[in-house]
Each structure stands twice: as C-alpha cells, then as structure tokens.
Amino acid sequence: MSHHKLLLLASAAAVLAGANPAFAEAADDAAQVEELIVTAQKREQKTLDVPIAITAYGADQLERDGIQEFEELSLYVPGFEVQNQSPNNPGFVMRGITSDSGEATNEPRVSVFQDGVSISKSRGSYIELFDLARVEIAKGPQSTLYGRGALIGAVNLVQAKADPTKWDARSRVEAGNNGYVMFESMLNVPVGDTLAIRFAGRLKKRDGFVENLLGGPDFNSTDTAAGRVTLNWRPNDRLNADLIFNYEQDRPTGTSFKSLTFAPTDPSTGVLIGDVGRNSGAALSTSDGFEGGKDLGLNRSVRGLTALVDYEISDTLSLSSISAYRRFDSLEVFDPDGFSLPLMVFAEDAHGREASQELRLNYDSGDRLTAFAGISYFWEDGYQRVPLQFNEKVYALLGSMPRPGGLSLPVINALAPAALKSVHRETYRNVGETKSYDVFADATYRLTDQLELTAGLRYTYDDKTSGYGAVLENGGSVLAGSTPALARGLFLQPTAGGRVETRSFTDSGLTYRAVARYSYDDHTSLWASYARGRRPKVLAVAAPATPGGPVRFSELPAEQVDSLEGGVKTELFDRRLSLEGSVYHYAYDNFQTSVRNAAGQIVSANAGEASATGFEGQVTAKPNANLELFGTYGYNHARFGNGLFKDNSFRLAPDHTVSLGAKLSLAALGGTFALTPSYTWQSEVFFDNNNDLPALQAADKIQDEKQGAYGLLNFKVGYTPAEGPWSVEAFVTNALDQDYIKDAGNTGDAFGIATFIAGEPRYYGVAFTLKY
C-alpha cells in the first residue's frame, strides 16, 4: 500500500469520526478520550497544555496495544523508531537521529530516562516495559528540560509507585508459538497509613525464530527476567519519597547475522544446507575455545537504585531531589561473517557505572508565573572490550574479499597454507569517564489568559577522559606479514605493551528554548518554539597506524542543532475527538556519525551539515463508549547537506510512518468482548549513512542493504466477565507473516560480506489476567 493511500485512509477516518452523529450526543466519561497528565515540563500538566510535540501512553493504552518493549512502542509513536538487534545492541531513533553506539567514549543523542534518571548508554538502555504509570516521548531538542543526550528528544518511563492508600495485586500469563511463555505479577502492600511497598516482575521466554542449521538453539530468542521493588513514604502532606530498585537479566541466543554472499554449508563436508534468503536459516558458530568456550548469545545484567524526594516548602515553593546509581554488565558473543566457515568470531564485553544527583527548586504562584531552577551532577565510568578471532586459513581461501589495511592478494597467495594460523586473536578496548555539572532554569509566564511565554536555559560543563588500547593475544598475524621483530595485527595494530592510552579534555556549552503558547479556547492550543540542542564534544579513538605506535585521537566538535517548530492540539465534541499536529525544521552543524576507516574499524567522524523537515500527527476518536479509533502519521525528510554523505538519507530513518487501530467492545455472554486490530507501516529505510551506495564503498557494488516499505498487522480479541476479576484474550502479531529485516551491513560489511538480520515472523498466543 502506498503512503498516499495510507494518508487518505487516515484522513478519511478522522473526517468520518468528526461527522459521526454520535459526537453530538451528551458525553460521559466512558465515551471520552483518556486525558493523560504528564510531567514533561517538570510539573503536572494535561498534554493539551504542553507546548511540545509529545506522545504519551498510559498503562491502559500500553495494555491495549500489547506493548512490552521499546521496539513495539515505537510502532505507534510518530517520529520515533527503535531497532532491536538484541537487548545489548538497540538503536533509538528520534526524527532521524540515531543513538546506538556501544563505545565508552561516545555520547548518546536520544535520552532514555526512568523517572528522570538517564539510562541512555546504549548497552544498558533497552529494558522491559512493565508496571508503568505511563510513557512520555518528547520530540525536539529537550536539553534544557532533560539534560545530556536529549539533542533531539527524550523518552521518560514513569514507573508505577507504591501506594499507601490501597491494596492492589494482579498477575498475567501468556503462552504462544515458538515456545513462548510470559509471566508477570504486581503486588502493592500498604504498611500503615504512610508507608507502602510494591513488587513487580516479569519472566519472558521465546525460542529463536531463525533456524540454527548447525543444530542447537535457534537464533534471536528471548530470555528475560526483570524485577522491581518500590517503597513509598508519605509521613505528612508536604513530604513524598520513593525508593526504587530495578534489576534485569537477559540471556538470549545469538543474533542471526546472515550472509547473502555465501550460502550456508556443513563446515565439515561442504554440503549445502541452506539458502541465501534474508529470513531463512543461518549456519553460525563460535570456535576454538573463544572467550572460554562461551556459546553465541548475550549475558547482560542491568540494575539501578533511585531515590525520589519531593518536599513542599510552602504553598508556592517545593524542592525535588533525584538521586541514582546504575550499572550494566554485558558479554555478547557473535559470528559476524554470517556463514558456516570459521572465518571470524567476535565478542563485546561492556560495562558501565553511572551516578547522578539533581536538585530542583520549583515555583508555582498559582497565577501567572511557574518556574524551576536547579543543579545536577552526573558521573559515568564506561569500559568496552572487543575480542576478535580469525582463522587465517579460511581468510586466505576467500581471496576475493577486500583486506583491511590494503593487504594484497599476491602476498596471500605466496604464503604456504601450513604457515597460516587456525586461530589468531586480537583485542581492543576503549574506556571513557565523564564528570558533568549542569545549572539550569526554566520559566513560564502567562501574559494574558490566553497567551503564555516560556524560556529555558541550561549550562553544561564536562570533564572527560577517553582511552584506547589493543593487544595481539597470541602473537602477530602471518597474513599481515609479522616477523619475530615486528608483530602485526590483521584487523588492528597493537598499542605499546597492549596498554590503554588515555587523554583528558573539557567541554562546555549552552542549550536553550523559547516557546509561545496560545489558548484559542479551553479545548484548543497553538504553540511555536525555537530551541538549541547540543551533543557534547567527543574525543574519538582508533588503533595505531603501526604496531606499538600512538593511539589516534581525533577531537570532534560539539554537534549542534537549531530547531523551529510549531503545532496545534485540540479536543472536540466533549473530548470524544483528540487531534494533534506539529511541523518542524532542524539544521545541524558538525553532525557526528560513524564511518569505517582504512582498517575496516568503525570510528566516529564529523559528517558536516544536515537538515530535517517534517510533520507529525496524532488522532484519537471515541464516538461512543464501545468504539475507539486511533492513528498516527509521521513525515521526516532528513538528509545530509554536504560532505561525504551529501543528499543521503539518515540511517534507520524512514520518510513516512503510519499507525492505525481501533478497539471495539461488545457486551455478550455476561461480559464484554473487545477486538483490537492495528496496522503499522513504514517506508523504505537504509541501515547506513552511506545508503549502501557503491560509490561510497570499496568493494560493495550492489545496493541491497536496505528495507523496502512494509506493514505489520496485529489483532487481539479478549473477554472480560461483568462480575469476576479475570480476563482472557487471544493475540497475533505480524498476522500476515510479513518478511522484513531489522538491519543490514553490520561488521561483515567491512570485509565485503554484508550480513542481514531478520525481523520477527508471525507470533500468536493466549493470555489470562487475574486481578486480586
């Protein structure tokens, strides 16, 4: 279906909803669109009153759409995309800007928060979405409100808190195809009138959906355990404190990197055992005791402790404190060549420690002026170790492959096969430490009953250290021409003594916003804003040019974006119809991106200028208590303006995205049946900023590393008795079993053997929910 047809369908649905005579009837709460209260501007407001392009979903809406993960959430949020290769390697994309690097030296562009605490570092940011009060996705530069990493937007998960006023408990069990089982439960226990404790958790498993042609567990499985404990203390009307502990463990099988260059074969006999389809089975393995004999797959743990304290000093002043400590540890082993021969196997061993403290003084006169000001401190210590193992004999056999470092084929052909190493190991590591200090303020003043102006400012000072080291684990590479006097690497060159070389630097900068909002009436709001976003300066690192040489440090200037945006929000027919639309234009300077250097390594680089122009719209209609219609549309024309990638599309950034859905309720058999269909669609997407153009690559002459337009159809049908604390439902996702890919290129692309990662097939199952 073309995007033009989808747009017409969305427009027609809105027009029909507006023309429905049911809208003219007297409204009751059951026939109104849910009105969420959000805290995007650090105070409670209706979404109608927030002059930001914001998409917010409450707990009921998340349940309605069956959203358990960020990847599922992004399908229903215009301007927001999430790519999940594995929980350890996600890509968060906001209006075309991607944040997915695992390097300890990099800064995120898209901030992810739990109750105002940054969890943005890529290897620790993808977590299960369960027992949430709501999710708020604020688009546009939000540095003044959220701080570091919110160059182009922020996602805030507002977790459900313990409640001393009531006892509450519920459990849910799901089961389906591919061995799927999921159990989650919540228990809220008051302890007296001022204290409560809340327990919540989820266990989820599913077999892999890409067949392992060599036997053993299939690839791309799910194996997650997540839990949360919250304490709430309300000793009086002025003090409210929450203590939150989060923990998650992920152990999925390996990611299905699939080569379309070499068909899967039996590594012992050479017999063909599969095809080169993007979504068919893969023949991947690890070998020769790599990383102590660990299997392909991920072992990741994420944990965090947060303290939230709000104290009302007076009727107009309050003090908010957010204290947090967080850490993640992950080891992922993967076969990046995408075929059965043991050419290479890699791993990533990543660790991160973060601590933060924010103090914010809030002022609300109850009349014209609302403001806040504060200070914050952020500390981060990151470490990434990447072991690489090569089989030089297989490497030499594949003579048509390009060689990082320019190793020529005559050199390879002149070598005796017996001299080549079956196992050659190299390891590099990068480290990064950041100490950051922020001072910020934001104020809104109502000039008239209809017009209000907002201004915000944040100053950030960073003290940072970047480091890099590389070592040859078992001597030099024969293929690279090593001699007893000089050990050379095949993929990278070692640092002196294998030591980590570090360099420190400082950075500082201002971000700001200016907003005007006009209330046409109590149900319609228009707004316009100008904002400056900033990504801090980065000290990129790369291996020495020669063995034992100095680490190559390159300073990338701070990335800067200027944003112009305007929008309108309205609620019509006694809030039976909610409409929202916004338009924006961004101009970027010093756009930081990733490129492959001459050695085939991915390093950070300055891509120059870029721009993005777009529109986002959301509609929700509830003509009566039994029918709800919802839809979103996003248009984002994001292109590079000059430099190496001039006129190219941003990676992971479709120009068009659409979601449409409905919830239809019908009373029958002593209860209520609910049918919830939904359809999501996106246009063509590239997986690299080079758009897989042959002119921008050394060996790849086919532009196939992209995903064409595709859509996903989901259904849910459930039954809830009129009396009884339970419900049952059946569900199916990707009902049409649409083939698509999540990523292409990957590490293998540096060697001229791009790999592809399949998207999920059709899933179906049943669920049972019990509320105590």
Side-chain angles (χ1 to χ4, degrees):
M1 181 183 295
S2 71
H3 67 266
H4 300 292
K5 292 180 179 179
L6 286 167
L7 281 174
L8 289 173
L9 182 59
S11 301
V15 170
L16 287 174
N20 194 315
F23 280 113
E25 301 172 2
D28 56 41
D29 290 342
Q32 290 184 326
V33 175
E34 181 181 5
E35 185 173 58
L36 284 179
I37 302 298
V38 298
T39 53
Q41 295 194 115
K42 308 300 182 184
R43 62 184 186 273
E44 292 186 347
Q45 293 177 285
K46 297 186 298 182
T47 54
L48 178 71
D49 298 332
V50 179
I52 295 173
I54 183 171
T55 300
Y57 286 111
D60 291 342
Q61 294 164 306
L62 295 172
E63 182 178 352
R64 176 198 69 187
D65 297 329
I67 294 171
Q68 297 181 4
E69 299 182 22
F70 278 115
E71 191 171 38
E72 298 164 340
L73 172 67
S74 69
L75 297 175
Y76 300 94
V77 181
F80 183 49
E81 299 280 324
V82 177
Q83 177 208 62
N84 177 28
Q85 289 190 17
S86 78
N88 193 55
N89 193 17
F92 288 86
V93 187
M94 193 78 76
R95 290 179 171 175
I97 299 300
T98 304
S99 187
D100 63 352
S101 173
E103 293 183 3
T105 57
N106 264 14
E107 290 281 353
R109 283 191 179 104
V110 179
S111 286
V112 184
F113 292 87
Q114 282 180 311
D115 287 305
V117 175
S118 175
I119 62 169
S120 303
K121 211 64 175 178
S122 176
R123 290 344 183 211
S125 59
Y126 197 90
I127 57 175
E128 288 290 304
L129 307 184
F130 68 99
D131 197 35
L132 298 177
R134 65 185 180 276
V135 178
E136 302 176 7
I137 303 99
K139 278 81 64 118
Q142 302 299 337
S143 302
T144 58
L145 293 173
Y146 289 93
R148 67 183 313 104
L151 172 80
I152 208 64
V155 181
N156 190 25
L157 308 178
V158 182
Q159 302 169 113
K161 309 300 190 299
D163 186 351
T165 66
K166 63 179 181 180
W167 166 281
D168 193 14
R170 66 176 179 271
S171 296
R172 181 178 175 89
V173 179
E174 296 181 358
N177 65 328
N178 282 61
Y180 174 63
V181 291
M182 191 279 289
F183 174 75
E184 67 179 31
S185 191
M186 180 279 295
L187 175 64
N188 185 88
V189 182
V191 183
D193 297 331
T194 62
L195 184 67
I197 185 169
R198 185 183 186 102
F199 304 93
R202 174 183 288 168
L203 299 173
K204 183 163 66 173
K205 290 192 176 184
R206 191 192 296 272
D207 297 336
F209 59 85
V210 173
E211 182 184 0
N212 185 346
L213 299 176
L214 300 181
D218 292 332
F219 302 113
N220 299 342
S221 72
T222 299
D223 188 348
T224 294
R228 182 182 307 128
V229 180
T230 66
L231 288 170
N232 177 260
W233 183 48
R234 307 177 191 177
N236 52 56
D237 293 339
R238 291 190 176 276
L239 179 63
N240 185 66
D242 295 289
L243 184 65
I244 309 165
F245 174 72
N246 280 286
Y247 177 82
E248 179 167 331
Q249 182 82 40
D250 298 285
R251 295 181 178 177
T253 54
T255 301
S256 61
F257 295 103
K258 179 70 181 292
S259 172
L260 303 192
T261 306
F262 300 103
T265 59
D266 186 312
S268 300
T269 65
V271 174
L272 193 68
I273 57 176
D275 58 39
V276 291
R278 303 189 311 172
N279 296 74
S280 56
L284 309 174
S285 65
T286 184
S287 61
D288 298 306
F290 181 68
E291 284 296 286
K294 289 183 171 58
D295 294 330
L296 297 177
L298 169 66
N299 186 354
R300 183 191 75 147
S301 66
V302 182
R303 67 207 72 179
L305 185 65
T306 302
L308 308 173
V309 180
D310 291 291
Y311 179 70
E312 292 186 10
I313 301 171
S314 67
D315 292 340
T316 58
L317 283 177
S318 65
L319 181 66
S320 298
S321 171
I322 304 176
S323 310
Y325 175 78
R326 196 168 187 271
R327 63 177 289 176
F328 64 85
D329 302 275
S330 68
L331 175 64
E332 185 166 20
V333 180
F334 55 98
D335 186 356
D337 54 53
F339 57 92
S340 52
L341 293 179
L343 174 64
M344 52 189 172
V345 58
F346 292 179
E348 182 192 66
D349 181 18
H351 306 268
R353 308 289 184 272
E354 299 172 350
S356 60
Q357 174 64 56
E358 178 181 297
L359 292 173
R360 187 178 72 249
L361 187 65
N362 312 289
Y363 174 81
D364 189 347
S365 67
D367 186 18
R368 298 285 184 186
L369 179 63
T370 305
F372 64 81
I375 56 174
S376 66
Y377 170 76
F378 176 83
W379 168 82
E380 177 183 65
D381 188 13
Y383 170 85
Q384 183 193 50
R385 179 181 66 93
V386 182
L388 320 171
Q389 179 172 296
F390 301 89
N391 185 317
E392 292 190 332
K393 298 179 186 294
V394 175
Y395 206 93
L397 287 173
L398 304 177
S400 61
M401 288 172 50
R403 297 303 194 267
L407 184 61
S408 65
L409 294 181
V411 172
I412 294 175
N413 295 332
L415 294 170
L420 301 179
K421 299 164 66 175
S422 297
V423 175
H424 171 69
R425 291 177 179 158
E426 307 172 358
T427 297
Y428 72 87
R429 55 187 57 81
N430 56 76
V431 299
E433 183 177 11
T434 298
K435 297 177 182 178
S436 182
Y437 308 85
D438 284 21
V439 180
F440 56 90
D442 195 274
T444 299
Y445 185 76
R446 181 174 294 181
L447 290 175
T448 69
D449 290 341
Q450 293 178 295
L451 178 63
E452 66 180 31
L453 301 178
T454 299
L457 181 70
R458 181 180 291 259
Y459 172 77
T460 301
Y461 177 84
D462 290 337
D463 185 353
K464 307 175 71 171
T465 299
S466 293
Y468 180 92
V471 63
L472 306 180
E473 301 284 358
N474 60 339
S477 166
V478 177
L479 279 177
S482 290
T483 65
L486 186 63
R488 295 182 179 275
L490 180 64
F491 190 66
L492 52 88
Q493 301 307 325
T495 53
R499 294 185 294 273
V500 174
E501 183 179 336
T502 62
R503 185 175 296 178
S504 297
F505 65 105
T506 61
D507 182 46
S508 62
L510 284 172
T511 54
Y512 46 82
R513 68 171 185 147
V515 188
R517 185 177 79 91
Y518 179 76
S519 298
Y520 178 77
D521 55 31
D522 292 340
H523 309 291
T524 302
S525 175
L526 298 89
W527 57 273
S529 69
Y530 169 73
R532 163 71 58 85
R534 186 178 186 274
R535 187 189 194 195
K537 183 170 64 177
V538 168
L539 190 62
V541 295
T546 57
V551 172
R552 288 177 287 179
F553 291 96
S554 57
E555 187 174 294
L556 303 182
E559 183 176 331
Q560 180 177 292
V561 58
D562 289 301
S563 163
L564 288 171
E565 188 162 353
V568 58
K569 304 179 183 184
T570 186
E571 296 172 346
L572 305 173
F573 306 109
D574 293 318
R575 217 171 70 243
R576 294 193 182 196
L577 179 63
S578 173
L579 295 166
E580 178 178 342
S582 62
V583 293
Y584 59 85
H585 177 76
Y586 298 146
Y588 298 91
D589 284 325
N590 302 317
F591 191 94
Q592 297 174 18
T593 188
S594 297
V595 298
R596 290 181 176 87
N597 62 16
Q601 295 174 273
I602 297 177
V603 297
S604 297
N606 186 349
E609 298 176 356
S611 65
T613 301
F615 167 82
E616 292 165 358
Q618 303 174 178
V619 56
T620 306
K622 200 164 186 180
N624 55 60
N626 298 320
L627 177 62
E628 183 175 12
L629 306 169
F630 55 92
T632 68
Y633 169 68
Y635 169 72
N636 181 56
H637 185 80
R639 301 292 188 268
F640 289 94
N642 61 6
L644 182 64
F645 302 132
K646 179 176 171 58
D647 297 328
N648 280 16
S649 298
F650 291 3
R651 62 185 295 260
L652 299 177
D655 282 359
H656 304 273
T657 59
V658 174
S659 70
L660 298 170
K663 183 174 182 180
L664 175 64
S665 301
L666 178 65
L669 301 179
T672 301
F673 284 89
L675 174 65
T676 309
S678 66
Y679 181 75
T680 61
W681 179 91
Q682 68 173 40
S683 60
E684 180 182 69
V685 63
F686 294 98
F687 298 105
D688 198 306
N689 287 332
N690 65 24
N691 289 187
D692 199 32
L693 293 171
L696 298 178
Q697 301 178 91
D700 192 348
K701 302 304 179 184
I702 302 175
Q703 191 184 34
D704 59 352
E705 295 162 31
K706 60 181 180 178
Q707 171 60 53
Y710 71 96
L712 302 176
L713 180 65
N714 301 331
F715 280 101
K716 285 190 358 177
V717 59
Y719 172 77
T720 304
E723 296 184 5
W726 59 272
S727 63
V728 63
E729 68 181 30
F731 58 87
V732 57
T733 60
N734 191 5
L736 302 180
D737 205 19
Q738 169 73 56
D739 282 345
Y740 66 100
I741 56 172
K742 292 185 176 183
D743 203 7
N746 303 298
T747 304
D749 206 23
F751 298 85
I753 46 173
T755 57
F756 297 74
I757 301 174
E760 285 82 0
R762 179 192 297 120
Y763 286 147
Y764 54 85
V766 295
F768 179 79
T769 302
L770 179 64
K771 297 181 179 180
Y772 307 98

